[in-house]
Amino acid sequence: MPQEDQLNLLQHSASISADQDLESGYASSQPVAGNVNNRNASPEENVSTNRIREYFQQSSHPIAAFFFLAFRLGALLTYLLGSIFTDNFTFVFVITILLLAFDFWTVKNISGRLLVGLRWWNEIQPDGSNKWVFESANPSRINNAADTRLFWWALYGTPALWALFAFSCIMTLKFSWLIIVGVALVLNMANVYGYTQCDKDAKKRWATGMATRSALGSLSSGATGLVGKALSSGIGKVFGSR
């Protein structure tokens, strides 16, 4: 009999689930293995991850925003960390310049048009002079606030970082690295100047259009009032003569 009791006890214990409260005999309502990753992650990492997720959920063009950030961050990280993984300066130089070129073309032709409704380009005239051409979306278009903040902060913030790197290269006499920084500054500042002027041109055209519509509206209302007065006076004269 004692052996049978031991066997029954072992069989009964084998059927106890992992999340069962052994003292009360009921299934525990508290998770045992859940949220392990959340415990290991720091609050700062959770907050930053949530912010990134929320931005891409709010963005009207998440793919364009992703590549807008990817090329910029890729060039910066390659410049900063490339020498850690390889001693080949030429390799780091080529990769960084390629990422800067991709970033310049993407921002100039795609990111600005989709994120803020602006685009610029430069045309060479027959006489050899340069002409800046600015294009903006219809004023009735409402830009996404998250996309607008990301675009303008990254547009102006990235050249500031490259300027700090240029100062560091000059102070440490690393003139070979200064070539990379110089190319980055030229390409980034070209987009900064182009989009700044494009934004000013769009606001000027918007203000001119509003003034023109307001003037036309006042003229049409004035003309309508004059026509109404003329008709009312004419009708009054006709009935008054009778």
Side-chain angles (χ1 to χ4, degrees):
M1 291 297 293
Q3 294 181 354
E4 293 179 358
D5 293 339
Q6 291 179 359
L7 291 175
N8 293 332
L9 181 60
L10 291 175
Q11 291 176 359
H12 178 70
S13 63
S15 63
I16 298 176
S17 59
D19 59 345
Q20 188 172 357
D21 190 342
L22 297 180
E23 295 182 358
S24 61
Y26 295 98
S28 175
S29 60
Q30 298 178 355
V32 176
N35 298 330
V36 174
N37 294 330
N38 292 335
R39 294 177 185 174
N40 296 331
S42 62
E44 292 79 5
E45 292 177 354
N46 291 332
V47 171
S48 60
T49 303
N50 291 334
R51 287 180 179 176
I52 295 172
R53 186 185 299 110
E54 288 176 0
Y55 166 73
F56 281 103
Q57 290 175 350
Q58 296 173 2
S59 176
S60 299
H61 303 280
I63 297 177
F66 171 78
F67 283 103
F68 173 65
L69 291 175
F71 290 134
R72 300 205 148 209
L73 292 176
L76 288 169
L77 293 177
T78 303
Y79 173 82
L80 289 173
L81 306 177
S83 59
I84 298 177
F85 299 99
T86 179
D87 295 332
N88 192 342
F89 172 78
T90 304
F91 178 77
V92 177
F93 179 90
V94 171
I95 296 299
T96 307
I97 296 299
L98 286 175
L99 289 172
L100 289 170
F102 292 155
D103 172 69
F104 173 78
W105 187 90
T106 303
V107 173
K108 177 177 173 292
N109 295 289
I110 299 176
S111 302
R113 179 171 56 86
L114 294 178
L115 299 181
V116 293
L118 300 173
R119 193 167 71 127
W120 68 271
W121 65 91
N122 193 282
E123 293 181 352
I124 300 178
Q125 301 301 308
D127 58 355
S129 60
N130 292 329
K131 178 183 178 182
W132 290 80
V133 181
F134 305 116
E135 182 182 58
S136 59
N138 194 302
S140 60
R141 166 183 165 170
I142 300 177
N143 292 324
N144 186 292
D147 291 337
T148 302
R149 285 195 302 270
L150 173 71
F151 181 82
W152 291 113
W153 274 99
L155 186 72
Y156 290 114
T158 307
L161 291 177
W162 286 113
L164 291 176
F165 297 155
F167 178 76
S168 175
C169 290
I170 294 173
M171 295 300 295
T172 56
L173 302 178
K174 294 181 179 179
F175 296 108
S176 57
W177 292 91
L178 186 61
I179 298 174
I180 300 177
V181 178
V183 173
L185 282 173
V186 169
L187 295 178
N188 279 272
M189 291 306 298
N191 270 324
V192 167
Y193 177 81
Y195 277 110
T196 301
Q197 297 300 319
C198 189
D199 185 54
K200 290 181 180 178
D201 181 75
K203 291 178 179 178
K204 185 185 299 183
R205 285 192 290 176
W206 179 81
T208 303
M210 289 291 293
T212 303
R213 284 192 294 270
S214 177
L216 291 176
S218 60
L219 286 174
S220 62
S221 61
T224 302
L226 290 175
V227 172
K229 289 180 181 178
L231 289 175
S232 61
S233 61
I235 291 173
K237 289 179 180 179
V238 170
F239 284 101
S241 61
R242 291 182 180 178

